[in-house]
């Protein structure tokens, strides 16, 4: 079998187009322009690229983009003061504080300062609690993007065996909750899992989010499974050049799976699109209006 490759770029482009359509309606009908504020502390090059892309995509969707750059020696108090200002700004519907933060700042304290309704990352404990209890909160972007791609690929996920490899608060745990909400039978595997090949081999859906290059071997994948690879790892090739690989051994997995996301070009492009979608959702909820279709 040769898997169909899930094109995350095309999926994200399609989602962004839909979002731009919604934004147009919100402007015309309600004079509402959804606004996303991004706070970047320090000058980490990867974070700078990420924030630049967010800014560009937000504007391209017709939304307001607010960007706050702070020195990497900014105090926790000052950062929290900025977050509180954004909490109180009616033009800001979504707030994202780019992670990681410098060591001297307590990340959890900053995240818990964001008003849960504006927490478009879905990292606030109120939002993880709402996700766990089936409430209406904000859902973390990467796992939500994965679920969208899975539902597009498979339709109804009910009753399927899903294995999430990785237990981070940002991807693994919310991913497992979302799959459970879709009535999958969910296993969370991690570095201490006893027989990982066997656990992965039973899954109809494999979501790999461990951050270890090609940890999930292709020959572990059950024939006909759907594989979502969240990993983005830069590795050195034999010729000294580098390349990006996922957490799954792609070429062999693609021989067994029915469908698989590539790296790059799979899950990655979806994250920003879902962030914009979460901002539109937050803006609509703030006004008590139904989200346009
Ligand atoms: N750093 C890398 N990805 C993310 C993300 O999705 N949200 C935040 N806040 N920081 C990040």
């Amino acid at each position: 079998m040769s898997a169909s490759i899930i094109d995350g770029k095309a999926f994200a482009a399609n989602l962004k187009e839909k979002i731009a359509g919604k934004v147009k309606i919100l402007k015309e009908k309600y004079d509402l322009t959804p606004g996303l504020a991004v706070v970047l502390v320090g000058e980490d090059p990867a974070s700078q690229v990420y924030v630049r892309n967010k800014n560009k995509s937000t504007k391209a969707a017709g939304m307001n983009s607010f960007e706050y750059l702070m020195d990497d020696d900014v105090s926790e108090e000052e950062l929290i003061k900025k977050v509180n200002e954004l909490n109180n700004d009616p033009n800001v519907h979504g707030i994202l504080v780019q992670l990681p933060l410098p060591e001297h700042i307590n990340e959890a304290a900053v995240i818990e300062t964001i008003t849960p309704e504006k927490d478009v990352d879905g990292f606030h404990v109120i939002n993880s609690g709402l996700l766990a209890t089936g409430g209406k909160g904000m859902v973390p972007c990467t796992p939500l993007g994965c679920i969208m791609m899975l539902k597009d690929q498979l339709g109804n996920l009910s009753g399927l065996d899903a294995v999430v490899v990785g237990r981070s608060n940002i991807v693994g745990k919310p991913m497992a909750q979302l799959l459970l909400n879709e009535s999958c039978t969910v296993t969370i595997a991690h570095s201490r899992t006893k027989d990982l090949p066997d656990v992965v081999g039973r899954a109809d859906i494999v979501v790999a989010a461990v951050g270890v290059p090609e940890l999930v071997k292709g020959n572990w994948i059950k024939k006909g499974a759907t594989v979502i690879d969240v990993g983005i790892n830069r590795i050195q090739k034999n010729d000294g050049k580098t390349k990006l690989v996922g957490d799954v051994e792609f070429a062999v997995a693609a021989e067994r799976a029915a469908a698989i996301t590539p790296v790059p070009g799979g899950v990655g492009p979806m994250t920003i699109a879902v962030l914009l979608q979460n901002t539109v959702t937050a803006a609509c909820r703030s006004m008590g209006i139904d989200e346009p279709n």
Side-chain angles (χ1 to χ4, degrees), residues 176-195:
Q177 291 290 353
L178 286 167
L179 289 162
L180 193 56
N181 290 349
E182 295 298 326
S183 302
C184 291
T185 303
V186 184
T187 303
I188 305 179
H190 46 78
S191 55
R192 305 283 173 89
T193 296
K194 256 191 286 171
D195 190 351

Side-chain angles (χ1 to χ4, degrees), residues 47 50 54 96-100 121 123 141-142 170 271:
S47 292
Y50 217 75
K54 280 175 195 156
L96 181 147
V97 178
Q98 183 70 18
L99 303 178
D121 262 326
F123 293 168
C141 303
T142 300
I170 292 177
T271 303

Side-chain angles (χ1 to χ4, degrees), residues 1-5 217-225 227 248-260:
M1 178 184 297
S2 198
S4 63
I5 309 299
K217 300 302 168 213
N219 63 8
W220 298 356
I221 303 296
K222 180 163 92 172
K223 285 202 169 142
V227 179
V248 179
E249 192 189 21
F250 180 82
V252 184
E255 288 302 311
R256 300 174 63 84
I260 186 167

